[in-house]
Structures are given as structure tokens and as C-alpha cells.
Amino acid sequence: MELKTENIVKPGELVSLADYTPEYTGTYRKKGQTKTRLKKLNKQLLKLQGLLYAESQHSLLIILQGMDTCGKDGTIRGVMAGINVQGCDVVSFKVPTADELSRDFLWRAHKAVPSKGKIGIFNRSHYEDVLVVRVHDLVPEQVWGQRYQQINDFEKMLVENGTVVMKFYLHISKDEQKARLESRMSDPTKHWKVEASDIRERAYWEDYMKAYEVMLQKCSTEWAPWHIIPANKKWYRNLVITECIVETLRKLNMKYPEPAIDITKIDIDD
Ligand code: AMP
Ligand code: MG
């Protein structure tokens, strides 16, 4: 059977992640072939970000999910290279604090969504509440089971209020994760990145794949679809995601607002 490549999951589509090749690189063979294109896209993104900010009618929420070492941080660096940092907020979702746990699970996500004109990036997200929480039974099934619908409703509300929601699942193979963990362990400047939880969670790989498959099936919606990104090759991952964001922002057909004052009637003193 031919393996699947990058894909936008259709609402309700059953996904078997084993059918997707994380190695896929399209028509490209190596990083060098994509450098010029990525640079061009980075520039286009900067322009579109300026327009998003000037128009201030929409905001863009980018959600990144995937296994440890899948490249969430690298994506943020590569895709957002050169954008205006004033217009972009990155929020990392860690183990919830006692304060966060005493509220509904969407509270911390909702608090962190970007305001109009801005780009917000979620490094992990409210989806952890149907991933790590499901894998480790951190709450009863009856509780996490309701969350798929609650997430869809939440995202729909955001979209109806002017937020564009883009969701990327960074698909790496178990072998690639091993290689990345080993490379971190053999480089003293990367030791700080290795956490006990990375090794612990790796043992649950199959359970996570199952949890991701259910998430992709239940939470890929018309208003906020999930993209599966082949992510074993970092350069291809960055290229595909940047392309996707540029294309989505372009489709908004944004316009610079009319000046608030009559520019033709203004004299600037010498
Ligand atoms: P990192 O992304 O490496 O900084 O790790 C953050 C850790 O926080 C990961 O192990 C996540 O699984 C964990 N985490 C994030 N959100 C939740 C959540 N809602 N419940 C439990 N653990 C979480
Ligand atoms: Mg980690």
C-alpha cells in the first residue's frame, strides 16, 4: 500500500497514523533545495502579518501538537523567522498548576488566545487534555470523553469571533524520536532539553498514537481542520507549515484600513 503524505483530515475521517509516512519530502531531496523558497515565504509572512495587524479584524491561532522531540520549538523558530515579534505571542502549555486545575480545562487556553491583529502560537494546547490525560487516566473517561465536543464548540466560537484556527500535528516516527533523544544526550549543550518524562512517555508510544488518531478524527472540523505534517525532516516540515499559513492568510483578502483622518488636508510643518 502506498503511504499517505501530508493531509488535511476531513471531519469524522478515521485516521490510521501508521499509514502516514513521516519521511515524506514531496519533490525535494535535501534542505538546500528549499532554502530560497522558505526565505521567500518568510518574507511574505512578514508582509501578511503587517496587514493582519493593520487591519485588526482577525487573529491567527496556530496550534502545534506532537510527541516529544517532534519539533514544536524548531517549527516556531523556522516558520516565524523574521516576523515582527510585537505581533506574535507564543504560549507553552505545561502540566496544569493547582490554580488551572481548579477551573475548567479550557480556561487557560481561552485566556491565552491572540487578540485581533495578532498571531498566537500554542506550543502544546488544550489538546493535552485529551492526549496525556487520556493516556494516563488523569481524569475519568466520562470527563475526558466530553472534551472533544467541548473543544469543537470552543474553537467554533473563536472562529465565529474572527480567529483563524490552524492546527498542526507534527508526525515523527518512533525511530526518529530515538535518534533525536540520542543526539540530545550526546551533546552537552542539549542535555538540559532531555527530561525524564521524554523517556517515560516514549514507552506509551502506541497509546499516544491511538489518542492522536481519535483526536484527529473527532476534532478536525470545517472551521478548524487538523493538518498532519510529515516531520522527520525538519526543513520540509517548516516549508509545508509556512506555505500553509501564508496561503491561509492570503485567503483572508485583508486590506489596509482607510486613514482615520483626511491625509490630503494635512500639512506637516518644516
Ligand atoms: P514540554 O513541552 O517538554 O515543556 O513538556 C510539557 C509537559 O506538560 C508535557 O509532558 C505535557 O504532557 C505536560 N502537559 C501539558 N498539558 C498538560 C495537561 N493538561 N495535563 C497534564 N500534563 C500536561
Ligand atoms: Mg519535553
Side-chain angles (χ1 to χ4, degrees), residues 68 124 195 198:
D68 289 308
R124 301 187 192 268
E195 291 171 289
D198 297 344

Side-chain angles (χ1 to χ4, degrees), residues 68 72-73 92-96 101 105 108 123-130 132-133 138 147 193 195 197-198 200-201 208:
D68 289 308
K72 298 183 290 295
D73 303 87
S92 295
F93 288 83
K94 308 280 182 189
V95 176
L101 282 174
F105 79 104
R108 65 175 182 164
N123 183 339
R124 301 187 192 268
S125 65
H126 43 287
Y127 281 98
E128 290 294 329
D129 291 282
V130 289
V132 63
V133 168
L138 299 181
R147 290 183 173 169
K193 282 193 184 185
E195 291 171 289
S197 66
D198 297 344
R200 214 171 44 233
E201 295 311 294
Y208 271 106

Side-chain angles (χ1 to χ4, degrees), residues 3-257:
L3 284 172
K4 293 186 183 166
T5 58
E6 69 245 24
N7 187 24
I8 299 178
V9 181
K10 292 180 201 72
E13 183 182 340
L14 276 175
V15 176
S16 166
L17 284 170
D19 296 344
Y20 284 82
T21 169
E23 280 291 340
Y24 188 69
T25 55
T27 54
Y28 304 101
R29 289 291 149 258
K30 47 183 197 261
K31 184 176 181 175
Q33 296 172 325
T34 58
K35 267 191 176 158
T36 321
R37 172 120 188 88
L38 183 60
K39 262 203 175 142
K40 205 170 148 194
L41 285 164
N42 285 145
K43 273 195 186 150
Q44 290 171 352
L45 186 55
L46 174 63
K47 259 197 160 164
L48 286 161
Q49 185 202 11
L51 197 48
L52 183 81
Y53 192 80
E55 199 197 47
S56 278
Q57 295 297 311
H58 307 273
S59 55
L60 173 64
L61 174 60
I62 297 168
I63 295 175
L64 300 175
Q65 283 290 162
M67 298 296 284
D68 289 308
T69 77
C70 71
K72 298 183 290 295
D73 303 87
T75 300
I76 297 169
R77 275 199 309 276
V79 172
M80 296 298 152
I83 69 155
N84 182 350
V85 291
Q86 271 205 97
C88 182
D89 294 316
V90 180
V91 184
S92 295
F93 288 83
K94 308 280 182 189
V95 176
T97 62
D99 191 38
E100 288 167 346
L101 282 174
S102 72
R103 265 94 175 196
D104 68 89
F105 79 104
L106 288 169
W107 179 73
R108 65 175 182 164
H110 199 181
K111 260 202 325 183
V113 299
S115 55
K116 292 232 160 81
K118 282 202 164 187
I119 298 178
I121 305 175
F122 282 5
N123 183 339
R124 301 187 192 268
S125 65
H126 43 287
Y127 281 98
E128 290 294 329
D129 291 282
V130 289
L131 293 165
V132 63
V133 168
R134 175 182 169 132
V135 167
H136 292 293
D137 292 317
L138 299 181
V139 298
E141 176 168 356
Q142 192 259 332
V143 175
W144 60 250
Q146 297 178 327
R147 290 183 173 169
Y148 300 97
Q149 186 62 45
Q150 290 166 346
I151 288 173
N152 290 346
D153 292 342
F154 166 63
E155 291 176 355
K156 185 153 202 238
M157 185 274 295
L158 294 181
V159 171
E160 286 170 351
N161 283 278
T163 302
V164 177
V165 181
M166 301 188 76
K167 305 185 295 203
F168 299 102
Y169 162 66
L170 311 184
H171 187 43
I172 55 165
S173 60
K174 199 174 176 191
D175 285 347
E176 179 64 19
Q177 188 192 58
K178 184 169 188 233
R180 290 184 186 185
L181 286 171
E182 280 171 352
S183 133
R184 287 180 183 185
M185 287 189 286
S186 62
D187 177 352
T189 70
K190 289 186 182 167
H191 283 174
W192 64 273
K193 282 193 184 185
V194 183
E195 291 171 289
S197 66
D198 297 344
I199 316 298
R200 214 171 44 233
E201 295 311 294
R202 183 175 161 78
Y204 294 91
W205 187 275
E206 291 312 319
D207 295 340
Y208 271 106
M209 289 302 106
K210 179 75 202 144
Y212 271 107
E213 287 171 352
V214 178
M215 173 200 85
L216 292 165
Q217 186 207 344
K218 294 196 178 214
C219 295
S220 200
T221 53
E222 270 157 39
W223 53 92
W226 268 107
H227 298 249
I228 298 175
I229 304 294
N232 271 11
K233 294 285 180 287
K234 298 168 181 173
W235 48 270
Y236 186 68
R237 169 201 77 200
N238 288 353
L239 184 76
V240 176
I241 296 179
T242 316
E243 250 168 8
C244 195
I245 296 171
V246 165
E247 197 186 313
T248 301
L249 286 177
R250 267 216 194 102
K251 280 196 198 138
L252 291 178
N253 261 324
M254 296 178 286
K255 308 259 179 311
Y256 287 104

